[in-house]
Amino acid sequence: MCGIIGILGKEAVADDLVDALRRLEYRGYDSAGIATVDSGRLDRRRAEGKLKNLQKVLNTQPLAGLTGIGHTRWATHGAPTEQNAHPHATSEVSVVHNGIIENFQSLRASLEARGVRFDSQTDTEVIAHLITEELHSLGNPIKAVAAALKQFEGAFALAIIFSGYDNMMIGAKKGSPLAIGHGDGEAYLGSDAIALAPFTNEITYLEDGDWVVLTRENMIIRDMDGTVVQRERQVVDVSTMAIDKGEYRHFMDKEIHEQPDVISDTLSGYVNFTTGKVQFEEMPFSFKDLPKITISACGTAYYAGLVAKYWFERYARIPVEIDVASEFRYREAPMEKGGLMMVISQSGETADTLAALKYCKQQGQHIGAIVNVRTSNMAKEADVVWPTMAGTEIGVASTKAFTCQLTVLACLAIQAGRERGTISEELEKELVHALLEIPREISTFLKDESQFEELANSLSKARDVMYLGRGLSFPLAMEGALKLKEISYIHAEGYAAGELKHGPIALIDEKVPVIVVAPKDYLFEKTLSNVQEVASRGAKIVMITDAQNVDVGNEPLAVIQMPSLHDFVTPLLYAIPIQLISYYTAVQMGTDVDQPRNLAKSVTVE
Ligand code: M6R
């Protein structure tokens, strides 16, 4: 889960490489580097930490050259030091890599046995040495790469340049994403279209096993067997790829505030405003005939799926199995043929989710993908794609992608209920009406955030925080805890409120704030009893509720007053306060909100 870029330019490429890396920083940001070929000679600059450190190095030691590659890293093998930063190079070959070479230890051992010396702890360095070794024996970079690629196991997207070759770059893709950008007398390689957006909107996506020999004028793509193949050249909409914070302090803040608009956009793709009903393009299956739905996803997307489980089971009376993709992919779950498997993913590239999808395909499931990136691998693999219209999400903490995923899932649950005859026309209209109210409700809610600043003051002093919820609010409690952990680094747990007394209540004392997601639904009274249980053990309670004047047993730390809504749509609105709680707490603590430590936006390694 790193970002890679390659440019065959008409002018010096160092600045453009850094610019592209800035757009790729969401994929990893613990070190960065670039390399160029200048007058036939390879050279590189690398720096530990954020891109600004690399920029500083380049300010004092600039790099010339019209051909170059760049990398922004999320460390897998070896600490995030300058020594381990990409590009990895010999005097003849320089390479940037996204992915993991799984057999790097055995390759490294054989190279070392043949006298090769390594400078880093990375898996990537074997690529540079192996290609160099093949180059010495075969005398030609193209043959050398072809021979080396056969020896790598695992996932990789590569961009490779060679000393003595000012007009050639080789790219290869297996598992990790890689796109070719077509310019006017220029050519590019990049992890995604976002990186290439300032240069071109004409893109060719490589398929797994493809490798390309690229010059400024030409490209030849071959598959794994060395056969020349044609891949479609497409024009992508780069207007949706703006990565500008505008007037906001952080991307996360901006993305939270974009939710009324992007939820509206998403709804307009799935709701017929004239009939007040949901509408989907024809699907390759009928919900009526499905024995079961299986959902698999990671992180926040998994919590969206968990909310959907409640919706599908309650409103469409269809059994739903859900598991995190990293577990599901290896569980060897038996599956009745003809079921529906749904993946949910902002990026559409998450390695574990993609693997879960592939497993289900083999098991004869229909595959539906809810993704934010329509050109992603998951979208390509699925039988049917239900896009979210969230626009590019840059903040590592997922916000607008989550609520747009919920929007699509809510529409799908209504569609399923209609097809299965479990909801009436009236109920469908009532649910759709409630969904259509959400953008306005969020917009109104976001008008006054003063309370969150105050609350963040107290939460930022806590060592542990507990989030509680029942029913549809249980996944939200887990999502709230995840958000708090990932950007404020406060230890937080999300629990089903009724489960607390089976162990975790032992953690409760007056130092532990307990945030309760409690819309006044059919489970409210039960949640309230659980709140009394923790309050009587001294916990400081934060209630997020539409109930008025609730007695929580002692003076609450805060009550976040919500408007009353249809039960069905509460997760969409209640997501907002939990996002704001984590955002304001992180700001208060002075953490790097958009690029929190140890994380990356797109997790393309397992
Ligand atoms: O791109 P995906 O939606 O597949 O990503 C899944 C998770 O990595 C992601 O939701 C992660 O948990 C977020 N950082 C949470 O805010």
Side-chain angles (χ1 to χ4, degrees):
M1 305 124 40
C2 306
I4 68 175
I5 177 75
I7 304 180
L8 289 152
K10 286 192 222 163
E11 289 168 14
V13 290
D15 286 350
D16 282 347
L17 287 171
V18 173
D19 183 39
L21 291 182
R22 195 160 290 119
R23 299 171 76 83
L24 283 170
E25 235 187 338
Y26 75 93
R27 301 181 76 92
Y29 38 78
D30 57 37
S31 61
I34 63 170
T36 58
V37 197
D38 181 29
S39 308
R41 217 182 122 259
L42 286 173
D43 202 356
R44 65 178 169 174
R45 304 283 181 268
R46 301 179 295 167
E48 184 177 328
K50 294 281 180 67
L51 202 52
K52 60 177 191 261
N53 297 348
L54 175 65
Q55 186 64 71
K56 274 190 208 147
V57 173
L58 284 163
N59 291 346
T60 52
Q61 303 164 59
L63 210 50
L66 275 54
T67 297
I69 53 178
H71 188 269
T72 176
R73 178 169 189 247
W74 185 83
T76 57
H77 296 70
T81 57
E82 181 185 335
Q83 203 181 27
N84 288 328
H86 298 216
H88 288 283
T90 64
S91 57
E92 288 136 291
V93 174
S94 194
V95 60
V96 287
H97 167 215
N98 170 26
I100 293 178
I101 303 296
E102 283 167 4
N103 59 336
F104 88 99
Q105 268 162 326
S106 62
L107 291 174
R108 181 171 173 145
S110 356
L111 282 159
E112 281 176 331
R114 297 197 288 273
V116 174
R117 280 199 41 220
F118 278 76
D119 292 327
S120 75
Q121 288 87 51
T122 66
D123 53 333
T124 304
E125 202 183 342
V126 298
I127 303 175
H129 288 298
L130 207 58
I131 295 176
T132 305
E133 204 175 62
E134 296 292 356
L135 191 57
H136 290 168
S137 66
L138 299 167
N140 167 313
I142 301 175
K143 286 186 186 160
V145 171
L149 286 178
K150 293 200 178 92
Q151 300 172 58
F152 302 138
E153 287 166 19
F156 49 81
L158 305 175
I160 314 157
I161 51 176
F162 306 86
S163 63
Y165 291 83
D166 283 279
N167 190 17
M168 185 174 77
M169 180 178 297
I170 298 184
K173 171 191 157 48
K174 189 180 154 214
S176 306
L178 190 64
I180 299 165
H182 308 281
D184 179 13
E186 299 188 311
Y188 311 90
L189 283 174
S191 293
D192 56 35
I194 300 178
L196 304 180
F199 315 125
T200 181
N201 62 351
E202 280 188 42
I203 303 284
T204 299
Y205 288 97
L206 291 178
E207 293 184 10
D208 271 349
D210 286 356
W211 57 285
V212 60
V213 179
L214 204 59
T215 63
R216 287 177 180 78
E217 306 76 28
N218 196 11
M219 66 170 190
I220 297 174
I221 306 176
R222 292 185 175 83
D223 66 13
M224 202 112 67
D225 306 323
T227 310
V228 174
V229 288
Q230 303 302 323
R231 301 290 179 224
E232 189 196 348
R233 187 167 166 150
Q234 39 186 289
V235 174
V236 296
D237 179 9
V238 287
S239 64
T240 57
M241 295 176 188
I243 54 159
D244 182 3
K245 280 201 280 259
E247 78 223 47
Y248 293 95
R249 249 194 307 180
H250 300 99
F251 280 109
M252 182 180 178
D253 192 17
K254 176 174 174 249
E255 287 157 6
I256 289 172
H257 289 87
E258 281 171 353
Q259 289 177 106
D261 288 340
V262 294
I263 293 173
S264 281
D265 292 347
T266 304
L267 279 170
S268 61
Y270 301 103
V271 169
N272 180 328
F273 295 107
T274 318
T275 60
K277 293 172 161 192
V278 295
Q279 63 179 19
F280 283 84
E281 279 173 21
E282 204 180 326
M283 299 186 195
F285 59 86
S286 153
F287 278 105
K288 198 161 42 78
D289 305 328
L290 292 180
K292 186 170 108 176
I293 297 177
T294 305
I295 302 179
S296 201
C298 299
T300 289
Y302 167 74
Y303 297 136
L306 207 50
V307 170
K309 175 181 166 73
Y310 287 84
W311 279 335
F312 279 114
E313 292 187 342
R314 185 158 183 214
Y315 289 96
R317 309 297 303 147
I318 182 163
V320 176
E321 183 190 341
I322 172 159
D323 201 354
V324 288
S326 54
E327 286 302 312
F328 181 81
R329 64 180 290 187
Y330 292 117
R331 250 177 50 201
E332 297 178 31
M335 305 184 94
E336 188 182 330
K337 282 204 175 20
L340 168 65
M341 191 270 181
M342 282 169 48
V343 286
I344 307 167
S345 174
Q346 187 285 127
S347 60
E349 300 293 350
T350 301
D352 287 321
T353 311
L354 190 58
L357 179 162
K358 288 181 179 165
Y359 173 81
C360 291
K361 228 174 170 178
Q362 284 163 4
Q363 300 294 309
Q365 304 297 295
H366 302 288
I367 308 290
I370 296 176
V371 290
N372 199 35
V373 181
R374 290 182 206 206
T375 49
S376 59
N377 269 318
M378 281 181 221
K380 284 182 201 142
E381 293 278 345
D383 302 317
V384 51
V385 180
W386 298 299
T388 49
M389 282 69 156
T392 311
E393 190 180 65
I394 299 288
V396 163
S398 187
T399 52
K400 60 176 182 169
F402 176 63
T403 46
C404 285
Q405 286 160 354
L406 290 178
T407 304
V408 178
L409 288 160
C411 293
L412 279 167
I414 296 172
Q415 175 78 18
R418 184 208 294 160
E419 285 184 30
R420 295 170 70 84
T422 51
I423 57 172
S424 63
E425 197 174 333
E426 258 142 62
L427 181 55
E428 172 166 3
K429 285 188 178 166
E430 185 182 313
L431 300 178
V432 170
H433 177 73
L435 273 174
L436 294 178
E437 291 291 301
I438 286 297
R440 192 179 48 80
E441 294 285 4
I442 294 179
S443 183
T444 310
F445 186 78
L446 286 171
K447 286 207 167 96
D448 181 9
E449 294 167 32
S450 50
Q451 193 180 11
F452 291 95
E453 225 158 319
E454 225 170 277
L455 177 57
N457 247 323
S458 318
L459 293 182
S460 59
K461 295 184 188 94
R463 205 190 58 180
D464 309 288
V465 171
M466 190 81 87
Y467 253 104
L468 299 181
R470 271 178 184 261
L472 285 169
S473 302
F474 165 45
L476 278 196
M478 290 196 282
E479 167 63 1
L482 174 66
K483 285 279 98 78
L484 207 52
K485 280 186 263 219
E486 87 178 317
I487 61 167
S488 71
Y489 315 146
I490 292 174
H491 170 240
E493 297 291 341
Y495 260 94
E499 184 66 14
L500 208 64
K501 54 183 141 333
H502 299 289
I505 201 165
L507 296 172
I508 299 294
D509 63 21
E510 59 289 343
K511 290 197 214 73
V512 182
V514 177
I515 307 175
V516 192
V517 187
K520 205 159 182 306
D521 58 13
Y522 68 107
L523 294 168
F524 179 72
E525 298 301 333
K526 306 224 171 277
T527 308
L528 209 53
S529 307
N530 303 130
V531 174
Q532 306 273 356
E533 286 158 13
V534 285
S536 60
R537 273 127 188 125
K540 296 179 197 151
I541 308 292
V542 177
M543 284 297 279
I544 310 179
T545 185
D546 57 323
Q548 305 284 334
N549 307 318
V550 194
D551 175 11
V552 298
N554 59 20
E555 187 58 31
L557 183 58
V559 176
I560 298 169
Q561 199 64 54
M562 305 298 289
S564 291
L565 302 169
H566 196 296
D567 283 7
F568 179 63
V569 294
T570 52
L572 281 142
L573 185 65
Y574 282 63
I576 311 301
I578 66 174
Q579 294 167 356
L580 290 172
I581 287 173
S582 69
Y583 175 71
Y584 279 98
T585 307
V587 170
Q588 178 77 34
M589 297 189 77
T591 59
D592 192 338
V593 172
D594 287 328
Q595 297 184 331
R597 69 184 181 205
N598 304 340
L599 291 170
K601 182 71 185 162
S602 182
V603 187
T604 53
V605 294
E606 70 169 293

